[in-house]
Amino acid sequence: MRVPLLAALATICAACTDGAPSEITSPDRPSFAISGAAAKRVHRCTLSPGSLTLSRGASRALTITCYDNRSRRLGNPNPASAEWGVANTGIATIDHRGRVTARAAGTTTVRMWHDERPVRDSIQLTVTGGAPAPGPGPAPAPQPGPTPSPAPTPPPNNSPQPPPPPTGTPAPSAGFPNQPSGMFIITDRQFDSKAKNNNDRGSSGSDGWSGSEYNQPNFSIVADPTAPNGDGLVGQMFFPAGMKAGTGPGLSTIYFPPRLTELYVSVWAKISSNWVGNQASINKMFFIGVSGGNNQFILTAYGAGSQPLHARMSLQGILDPRSFIMPAPGQVPRGKWQRYEIVLRCNSGLLSSDGTADLWIDGTHVSSARNINWIQTKHLTRPCNMNMFNWNPTYGGGGASPGVNQYLWFDRVYISGK
């Protein structure tokens, strides 16, 4: 049963835990306890401490702190107004007021969330002393849809993940090995829900992305226990058999703050094991808009039919005469998660061809372009700035339909800039 937040009682969703669920319910959940004006500006709420170590038998209350989209502190809501859960209740339990009690030695994840407020965070809990608790139950079966020739998959990664800091805060140095220094966070999307309206902040999974994705049936959130970030949920784009070549199944977009001249993107992606490449070898994965445009940078899995797929950086609609930069072949295996990291830097002036683009796959630098002029050919007086990330996968520019149901999955899109 779900009712509005201010009189809230919510049932903890099984997908929100990665092991044995710990369900905390209260018949009369109190109000959010932040003033009405401040509550409207809530962008994200976080837990403190950020991690916790307890001796077996000890307990400690957790604190929720809320911030606006400029990382200004708004206050501390009543912890009893949120939902609480522990991934492995053999290690610890938590009551409806956010007090954790250690039960047995081990490490688990403590989560806090609310259905109708942007309140969602998790911390890692370590319990010392005593015998280890039994591990969590088996991970749920994946539900990304049928794949005729599934590749063998590794065991689920249910390790606890650090919660993302609020958007607009200085970017963390850990976890993003090729991120330039001095960046601030634009988005850290886990793909555990779809945006319901433009710049939706009401769901931590949408994190400011455009609501145009909400009513697109071929874009969905599905379970995949092989997902690299541990929560078991990913974004899926479904390419149905017979879809028209030169089109895409869906659209998911985030627009950046103005005047960004340097951008870092980290995204986990997987192409289905039965992927049939477009006849023209064009299998576009995502776009980055530059200088107010829509398609200036494109990452493509280049290859036709069952041929090996290559990661290709394409440049389109800009003054740079190059159309693409091709790294070594065989960089995009089917049916396997890969991490792509991209750094784009603007040219320093309208007539200066000193912009750059770099691509890393699973931590290895595979492609680089120098001396780029990012200025649009249609807007020669518009200075370079990075303005949008567009997950609009497109199956070629023509040719035949794929002929089979195939998929593209995304997990944890992290973007920072300056």
Side-chain angles (χ1 to χ4, degrees):
M1 179 179 70
R2 296 173 184 266
V3 295
L5 169 71
L6 299 182
L9 168 64
T11 301
I12 293 178
C13 169
C16 297
T17 62
D18 53 23
S22 172
E23 299 194 8
I24 305 299
T25 60
S26 173
D28 296 300
R29 191 169 295 282
S31 67
F32 196 57
I34 287 182
S35 68
K40 293 179 180 179
R41 305 201 313 271
V42 169
H43 167 62
R44 192 185 297 275
C45 299
T46 61
L47 283 175
S48 59
S51 62
L52 183 60
T53 299
L54 293 174
S55 301
R56 186 167 62 98
S59 64
R60 177 167 175 177
L62 302 178
T63 301
I64 306 171
T65 304
C66 293
Y67 303 87
D68 66 10
N69 61 2
R70 296 184 180 180
S71 301
R72 294 175 297 195
R73 184 177 177 276
L74 298 175
N76 302 97
N78 188 335
S81 67
E83 306 283 349
W84 299 89
V86 177
N88 189 336
T89 54
I91 294 175
T93 57
I94 191 166
D95 67 17
H96 73 283
R97 295 183 179 275
R99 177 169 288 276
V100 181
T101 300
R103 300 297 185 192
T107 300
T108 188
T109 303
V110 179
R111 294 187 176 93
M112 171 277 300
W113 69 95
H114 219 302
D115 286 348
E116 297 186 9
R117 293 279 182 177
V119 182
R120 187 171 191 267
D121 199 4
S122 62
I123 66 167
Q124 180 175 302
L125 170 67
T126 301
V127 177
T128 60
Q143 301 172 5
T147 301
S149 303
T153 56
N157 175 6
N158 286 326
S159 58
Q161 301 299 311
T167 300
T169 59
S173 58
F176 304 99
N178 297 297
Q179 177 177 238
S181 61
M183 309 290 267
F184 67 87
I185 297 171
I186 298 171
T187 187
D188 191 348
R189 183 170 184 181
Q190 301 289 344
F191 285 101
D192 53 6
S193 66
K194 293 175 68 171
K196 295 182 180 180
N197 49 62
N198 285 344
N199 299 317
D200 182 4
R201 298 290 183 182
S203 165
S204 62
S206 53
D207 195 32
W209 292 55
S210 171
S212 61
E213 67 186 40
Y214 189 70
N215 294 316
Q216 299 186 32
N218 287 332
F219 168 50
S220 58
I221 307 299
V222 300
D224 182 355
T226 72
N229 286 292
D231 64 357
L233 296 175
V234 299
Q236 173 183 277
M237 291 288 185
F238 170 51
F239 295 72
M243 73 172 287
K244 182 180 178 181
T247 65
L251 176 67
S252 181
T253 302
I254 184 167
Y255 297 93
F256 305 152
R259 295 181 293 279
L260 292 182
T261 58
E262 190 168 357
L263 192 74
Y264 171 79
V265 175
S266 170
V267 54
W268 289 88
K270 180 174 72 169
I271 286 178
S272 61
S273 58
N274 70 321
W275 186 270
V276 178
N278 175 260
Q279 287 178 319
S281 296
I282 305 299
N283 309 283
K284 298 177 182 178
M285 299 173 70
F286 61 83
F287 302 84
I288 297 174
V290 182
S291 301
N294 188 22
N295 296 340
Q296 277 64 56
F297 177 93
I298 308 169
L299 186 67
T300 298
Y302 189 84
S306 60
Q307 296 174 358
L309 301 173
H310 308 169
R312 188 173 86 165
M313 297 195 300
S314 299
L315 308 175
Q316 178 175 301
I318 62 173
L319 290 179
D320 193 284
R322 292 166 289 184
S323 61
F324 64 86
I325 306 98
M326 178 83 78
Q331 292 288 337
V332 187
R334 294 167 172 85
K336 178 183 176 182
W337 284 102
Q338 285 189 303
R339 185 184 192 179
Y340 300 90
E341 293 176 275
I342 294 168
V343 173
L344 305 181
R345 293 181 175 90
C346 277
N347 46 292
S348 58
L350 293 176
L351 300 179
S352 301
S353 296
D354 54 1
T356 63
D358 289 272
L359 169 66
W360 292 260
I361 299 179
D362 291 335
T364 299
H365 190 221
V366 298
S367 190
S368 180
R370 295 293 180 266
N371 305 317
I372 299 174
N373 190 325
W374 291 105
I375 303 304
Q376 283 194 78
T377 54
K378 294 182 179 180
H379 301 282
L380 297 178
T381 61
R382 184 177 293 172
C384 174
N385 63 87
M386 310 294 171
N387 60 282
M388 66 185 296
F389 181 92
N390 196 4
W391 187 20
N392 182 22
T394 306
Y395 191 73
S401 67
V404 297
N405 292 340
Q406 52 192 37
Y407 306 85
L408 172 63
W409 294 277
F410 267 21
D411 191 19
R412 196 176 186 184
V413 175
Y414 171 92
I415 302 175
S416 62
K418 64 181 178 181

